[in-house]
Amino acid sequence: MAGTVCARTLFCCAVLAGLFAGCGPEPTQPVLDEALAAKRGPETFKAADEDFFRDMDGGIALTALEVQGRNTWNVWSGGNDRFWDDLSNISIGTLDFLKTLSSHPKVKEQGGFSRENRWRELGLVNEPCFEAATGPDPERFGLWLDKRRTGPDCPPDPFADEKKYPGVQIGHRGKKLPKSDKGYPEVLPVGSYYGYPSGIVGLRLFPNPAFDEEAAKKWDAERYYNDPKYYEDPKLVKPFRVGMSCGFCHIGPHPLKPPADPENPKWENLSSTVGAQYFWVDRIFDWRADRASFAFQLFHTSRPGSLDTSFVSTDNINNPRTMNAVYNLGPRLEQATRVGKETLNGGELNNKQFNDFEQALKSIDPKDLPPPTRDLLLALYAKPNTFTPRVLKDGADSVGALGALNRVYLNIGLYSEEWLRHFNPLVGGKRITPIEIAVAQKSSGYWQATEMQTPATALFFVKATAPHHLKDAPGGEKFMSTDAEVLKRGKTVFAENCARCHSSKLPTPIVGLDDNGCNGPNYLQCFKKFWAWTKTDEFKAQMTRIVMADDFLAGNYLSNEVRVPVTLLQTNACSPLATNALRGNIWDNFSSDSYKNLPSVGTITVHHPITGEARQYTMPAGGRGYTRPPSLISLWSTAPFLLNNSVGKFEWSPSVEARMSSFNDSIEKMLWPEKRDRDPMWQGKPYEAGMGWIDRTLPRLDRATGKEAADPWSYLRVGRKYLPDAVREHAGFLEKVAPWAFGDTGDVEIGPIPVGTPVNLLANLNPLSESTDLDQRIAHAKKVAAFVKMAKKDLKTAPGKATNDELKAKFANLVPPLLELSKCPDFVVNRGHYFGTGYHRDPPDWVDANAPAAKFTPLTDDDKRALIEFLKTF
């Protein structure tokens, strides 16, 4: 069908926001990953047993199995070094972790970072016992990579032991290289399947199996750092690939043991599970941080600590979401037994569950795994139903805790041999198809090994995810109130206004949601019943008694783990509009049948990004439209707030004082929304619900002066050699029939784009119709093609020395078709969650015509202050 669309429309491709919609062959027969290709089954990848990270996570004592689980989380990359190497080429060298790991002068000059300021500038955790490179390292083929210190305080990294953990011998690994006059290795190592430590926690180095004799002869480390023509060549083969563990996005400074020097932490200063809340995506994934590139402008919408997890398997919706902490997994699983029943069908049933490891769990010493915890894990699944927490912000990971863990490894590149055949990474433009668990279980040794290791990771989480309380932080008590009456009032305010969403301890039964059959087509009606119950005096009285109890916070996940309609939250809709987990999409096997049958939440209000005019948008059904409430555990240490870290100021320091500075600013803006950042088009106007910040393109900077360039706009560019295969093969023909789509160099180019253009107006353009109807697909493709032609014409006809205002006038013609083609026309990123303020209203269609309209009395300032004091105790 896709080929027919191409034939009837000349091409079904459109370039915009770095996205090129093309046609390509669907995956047919599955391929083996590098592990099985080398005849390495899961039994050859045993989990590491050294307690190397014993000082992390508060020094908590772990069992042997829990140690293995932490090691898997912190250093296991599952062969994804292949994927990140591919992505470096696909992105034309924009993403290059070998550069991120380097302290070469040229990297410092262009990116502005090295080991000395890596934490402050990138939010990446420097690995203890390493020092910055001061010159080329012959053992690392001339690369300027961090060097490990030796001494009694810096024992060798045990995971790099290739005798105990022998790497996958494939390609040129273990083979001779040409003699080098620079002292480079004469044999490419095989290495360990955990790789070598890199100097950044969560990134591991692996010998590149493609680095053969020819590649070695062409390798020039200085040109790699200095010559764009050299390092942007997609045929360049680097001596190392970089693998990523889950810890890369989840290890961070321990809130209760902050490092004296964040650039040089000790293991005791780090936590495996607090989330990478200081992580600067734009600088990490574009090492040059080039504002002339729309890729940078797109990544820059990710505030520190947030990332669009679908940016690789792109769904053409830009929705950065926080890489939040893992807290209280045990109570979270227990809450799932009350409100988390999901029905699984088809490929969803192939997810591993705790029951698959029943004998192993029962064989664990009861003192290491108490029977109540073991029995809870085993009670979570009874085919075809599973009781599961919702993991992603939109509650899409809904097939069991182990399924959610395993999916993460696919999303960071495990079994990329198969995964990448189901979409065009980064650039999009290919109809996405599901990656099937059954295929991975048959054809990927790394997947099979991961399935065997993640139960231990889950057990580690059960043990090591206790809250971090402000009272236990150094100097924390000085930020807390000792006024008993204030705290009592704060508890009452929380019970009556917040606990319905932010407590796993609720009155029982949980009216409306007590029927686990609600998770499906009838869910919205069930939730409305639940919401109405939480507004009754009966609920508030019961909830107040629960909150007032001395043990309220003990074992409380501080979230109800249900799906809340975005019509109620009024938060930005792009995250709940994500499509990756819908039926037939890439994560089809990792979302439940219940999720896929969720009803539409109705209509939301969005705002025109140029005029601010309010408009109505109907949310689609099939899983979209919902957000799970985040846990409030350790809220004091996790600001800024909202699902994208858009409310509150960011502080780069992990000190208690800096965390509290961010918390105080963020919580005030949550409870007094009129204090939140506002887009210039609303400045000076009385605040109304929905007014907020719109991410817009920034001016280019002159690197020599650091000031705004004379021509400050940016371009959308995709090099011809990086277009989808089917498009590149016919590029000559397309250039003749549609010359407006190509720049002078033969690359696809649209621009110049004026400064102040809403980034998501471009990033959310939908290049492919979601319809299954052929005529509708063709009509959509024609609209996209017409838009690109109009964009080229309008922007190219701007005066040669056009001012930004002249460019804006030209661009204004493009706004209506962009809005028509948008997958998410919601541009205000910091709106919503108006509970307790004067800006909240229930959706109009929720009000019972036979009952009095619900009254929402805003909290007084004193109520809000008391609530804040209670929240600090979390």
Side-chain angles (χ1 to χ4, degrees):
M1 182 177 292
T4 303
V5 174
C6 282
R8 291 184 58 181
T9 61
L10 294 180
F11 63 94
C12 66
C13 309
V15 115
L16 205 63
L19 307 173
F20 198 101
C23 304
E26 299 298 327
T28 53
Q29 295 299 315
V31 294
L32 298 181
D33 70 355
E34 288 185 343
L36 282 190
K39 302 188 185 319
R40 293 286 298 274
E43 71 283 352
T44 70
F45 296 106
K46 64 178 181 179
D49 54 11
E50 294 88 352
D51 197 7
F52 183 70
F53 302 113
R54 66 181 64 85
D55 294 333
M56 291 181 71
D57 307 306
I60 188 170
L62 300 179
T63 68
L65 199 59
E66 292 160 353
V67 165
Q68 292 177 16
R70 177 163 61 185
N71 289 342
T72 295
W73 184 251
N74 287 357
V75 296
W76 170 253
S77 59
N80 67 24
D81 50 296
R82 175 189 184 274
F83 165 74
W84 291 106
D85 190 61
D86 283 349
L87 214 58
S88 179
N89 290 328
I90 293 169
S91 67
I92 326 177
T94 296
L95 182 154
D96 191 341
F97 287 147
L98 276 180
K99 292 269 178 57
T100 304
L101 290 165
S102 298
S103 294
H104 189 277
K106 194 66 174 181
V107 175
K108 294 182 186 180
E109 176 187 326
Q110 294 194 39
F113 61 81
S114 65
R115 184 177 176 90
E116 286 84 353
N117 62 356
R118 193 179 282 154
W119 169 259
R120 182 162 187 162
E121 297 297 323
L122 301 181
L124 294 180
V125 179
N126 278 326
E127 186 164 353
C129 288
F130 279 79
E131 297 173 338
T134 56
D137 184 351
E139 295 181 4
R140 294 288 188 257
F141 297 92
L143 293 166
W144 290 52
L145 303 178
D146 292 1
K147 195 77 172 177
R148 187 177 185 85
R149 297 198 311 271
T150 58
D153 61 329
C154 293
D157 179 291
F159 314 110
D161 184 349
E162 63 182 77
K163 291 183 178 179
K164 185 173 182 180
Y165 305 115
V168 175
Q169 192 162 351
I170 193 169
H172 209 71
R173 287 178 182 163
K175 296 182 180 178
K176 289 185 177 180
L177 296 172
K179 277 199 170 186
S180 167
D181 57 3
K182 298 180 179 179
Y184 295 170
E186 296 184 13
V187 175
L188 186 71
V190 174
S192 158
Y193 55 76
Y194 285 113
Y196 304 117
S198 68
I200 291 179
V201 176
L203 295 182
R204 309 284 295 186
L205 290 169
F206 294 82
N208 189 343
F211 195 70
D212 56 16
E213 293 187 17
E214 181 181 356
K217 290 176 182 177
K218 293 180 179 178
W219 173 249
D220 187 322
E222 278 306 299
R223 289 190 68 194
Y224 168 68
Y225 288 116
N226 287 286
D227 184 353
K229 290 183 179 179
Y230 181 79
Y231 61 70
E232 290 181 358
D233 183 353
K235 295 182 180 178
L236 174 66
V237 178
K238 292 165 276 191
F240 292 99
R241 304 193 307 203
V242 180
M244 178 190 296
S245 73
C246 289
F248 183 63
C249 293
H250 290 276
I251 294 173
H254 198 294
L256 306 185
K257 297 186 176 185
D261 176 7
E263 302 292 354
N264 293 286
K266 299 177 181 178
W267 288 117
E268 66 192 51
N269 302 130
L270 301 178
S271 164
S272 303
T273 60
V274 291
Q277 66 187 95
Y278 299 90
F279 191 101
W280 290 85
V281 168
D282 52 354
R283 303 173 187 179
I284 295 168
F285 284 69
D286 181 356
W287 68 275
R288 285 169 291 195
D290 182 7
R291 287 190 181 185
S293 161
F294 190 76
F296 172 83
Q297 301 281 359
L298 180 63
F299 286 136
H300 190 68
T301 64
S302 294
R303 285 150 180 80
S306 68
L307 167 70
D308 182 355
T309 55
S310 62
F311 86 96
V312 177
S313 54
T314 178
D315 60 358
N316 303 120
I317 299 176
N318 180 37
N319 58 98
R321 296 179 275 193
T322 55
M323 295 174 280
N324 50 316
V326 181
Y327 279 120
N328 268 5
L329 180 62
R332 188 176 185 184
L333 292 173
E334 187 176 4
Q335 175 69 353
T337 64
R338 292 187 280 272
V339 295
K341 187 176 182 180
E342 304 277 332
T343 300
L344 308 186
N345 278 314
E348 304 153 14
L349 291 165
N350 291 323
N351 282 279
K352 292 290 186 184
Q353 305 289 345
F354 287 108
N355 310 69
D356 294 312
F357 304 91
E358 181 172 357
Q359 294 307 312
L361 291 174
K362 287 184 175 180
S363 68
I364 299 174
D365 192 312
K367 73 175 187 299
D368 294 330
L369 182 62
T373 301
R374 181 198 65 202
D375 294 343
L376 168 64
L377 299 180
L378 296 177
L380 291 172
Y381 182 68
K383 189 175 182 177
N385 297 318
T386 181
F387 293 93
T388 178
R390 286 69 185 239
V391 179
L392 291 176
K393 297 290 189 294
D394 55 354
D397 272 7
S398 49
V399 289
L402 296 186
L405 269 173
N406 291 328
R407 187 202 62 81
V408 171
Y409 282 96
L410 285 175
N411 199 42
I412 59 174
L414 181 148
Y415 195 24
S416 61
E417 294 89 343
E418 175 68 21
W419 190 48
L420 293 180
R421 299 203 303 165
H422 293 268
F423 57 88
N424 284 328
L426 299 182
V427 297
K430 174 180 178 179
R431 196 162 299 282
I432 297 177
T433 55
I435 183 167
E436 298 180 17
I437 295 172
V439 171
Q441 289 172 336
K442 180 180 179 181
S443 303
S444 172
Y446 283 124
W447 171 265
Q448 295 167 12
T450 301
E451 284 189 320
M452 297 302 294
Q453 292 184 31
T454 48
T457 302
L459 293 178
F460 163 64
F461 287 156
V462 170
K463 172 70 71 68
T465 52
H468 299 129
H469 293 299
L470 177 58
K471 66 179 179 62
D472 299 323
E477 290 189 349
K478 70 181 179 183
F479 296 102
M480 304 178 72
S481 174
T482 58
D483 189 321
E485 288 303 313
V486 168
L487 290 172
K488 182 179 179 181
R489 180 58 189 156
K491 291 180 179 181
T492 301
V493 173
F494 182 83
E496 294 182 350
N497 297 273
C498 313
R500 55 191 171 191
C501 285
H502 291 294
S503 174
S504 59
K505 293 183 177 182
L506 294 167
T508 55
I510 302 176
V511 175
L513 300 177
D514 51 327
D515 176 9
N516 277 297
C518 280
N519 286 325
N522 299 321
Y523 179 75
L524 191 58
Q525 294 304 316
C526 294
F527 185 87
K528 290 179 182 179
K529 185 178 179 181
F530 163 77
W531 191 249
W533 172 59
T534 65
K535 292 189 287 186
T536 64
D537 291 339
E538 176 190 15
F539 172 85
K540 291 179 180 180
Q542 292 184 63
M543 195 68 244
T544 299
R545 286 195 293 272
I546 293 172
V547 175
M548 291 294 178
D550 292 339
D551 64 349
F552 171 67
L553 294 178
N556 195 332
Y557 179 57
L558 292 178
S559 167
N560 64 8
E561 275 293 279
V562 306
R563 298 182 174 105
V564 181
V566 73
T567 45
L568 181 67
L569 291 172
Q570 301 181 66
T571 47
N572 182 270
C574 290
S575 175
L577 276 170
T579 59
N580 277 179
L582 299 185
R583 194 179 305 279
N585 214 287
I586 187 69
W587 300 133
D588 171 278
N589 281 200
F590 297 91
S591 64
S592 68
D593 197 63
S594 302
Y595 167 85
K596 297 181 180 78
N597 284 302
L598 288 171
S600 168
V601 298
T603 301
I604 63 171
T605 299
V606 296
H607 291 83
H608 192 286
I610 306 300
T611 66
E613 176 188 3
R615 303 184 301 130
Q616 299 302 300
Y617 177 77
T618 301
M619 297 289 289
R624 287 173 281 190
Y626 301 85
T627 300
R628 64 170 180 82
S631 170
L632 300 188
I633 294 176
S634 305
L635 186 69
W636 69 274
S637 70
T638 59
F641 297 140
L642 281 191
L643 74 171
N644 51 15
N645 280 350
S646 62
V647 174
K649 69 176 182 179
F650 168 74
E651 294 277 0
W652 71 270
S653 170
S655 69
V656 175
E657 289 75 16
R659 288 181 190 266
M660 287 306 300
S661 174
S662 181
F663 168 82
N664 288 330
D665 182 74
S666 303
I667 198 64
E668 285 214 356
K669 289 172 178 173
M670 286 295 292
L671 294 174
W672 287 272
E674 60 273 16
K675 297 183 179 183
R676 299 180 192 179
D677 293 339
R678 273 195 268 178
D679 192 80
M681 71 179 177
W682 282 312
Q683 294 298 332
K685 298 179 181 180
Y687 183 82
E688 296 179 6
M691 288 183 175
W693 185 258
I694 295 176
D695 289 321
R696 300 178 183 272
T697 54
L698 303 172
R700 283 199 307 112
L701 298 180
D702 186 309
R703 287 196 175 277
T705 64
K707 298 180 179 179
E708 292 184 9
D711 54 342
W713 44 83
S714 58
Y715 284 82
L716 300 174
R717 292 191 179 101
V718 177
R720 179 191 291 246
K721 58 192 174 186
Y722 295 99
L723 298 176
D725 293 342
V727 177
R728 190 171 61 250
E729 291 170 5
H730 302 290
F733 169 72
L734 295 176
E735 200 167 355
K736 291 179 181 178
V737 299
W740 42 266
F742 296 85
D744 297 336
T745 62
D747 297 337
V748 177
E749 178 184 279
I750 292 181
I753 297 167
V755 173
T757 298
V759 173
N760 287 349
L761 187 61
L762 302 170
N764 294 347
L765 177 138
N766 186 13
L768 294 177
S769 169
E770 294 181 13
S771 174
T772 57
D773 181 82
L774 177 59
D775 289 336
Q776 290 186 24
R777 288 188 179 188
I778 293 171
H780 186 89
K782 287 181 177 179
K783 285 183 180 180
V784 175
F787 163 73
V788 177
K789 183 175 182 179
M790 181 172 68
K792 289 288 293 186
K793 178 183 176 183
D794 284 1
L795 295 176
K796 281 293 186 183
T797 56
K801 296 292 184 179
T803 66
N804 199 63
D805 287 340
E806 289 173 325
L807 280 176
K808 281 185 176 180
K810 288 287 184 180
F811 194 84
N813 296 332
L814 307 179
V815 175
L818 278 170
L819 287 174
E820 184 180 357
L821 292 167
S822 178
K823 283 191 77 173
C824 179
D826 190 2
F827 304 97
V828 180
V829 296
N830 63 344
R831 71 184 185 95
H833 199 285
Y834 299 127
F835 306 108
T837 74
Y839 305 102
H840 175 76
R841 297 290 184 276
D842 278 358
D845 61 333
W846 286 28
V847 178
D848 187 342
N850 299 317
K855 293 182 179 180
F856 293 93
T857 303
L859 298 175
T860 66
D861 285 356
D862 286 344
D863 283 345
K864 292 177 182 179
R865 297 293 179 195
L867 174 62
I868 290 172
E869 292 306 318
F870 181 51
L871 294 177
K872 290 178 185 177
T873 68
F874 289 6

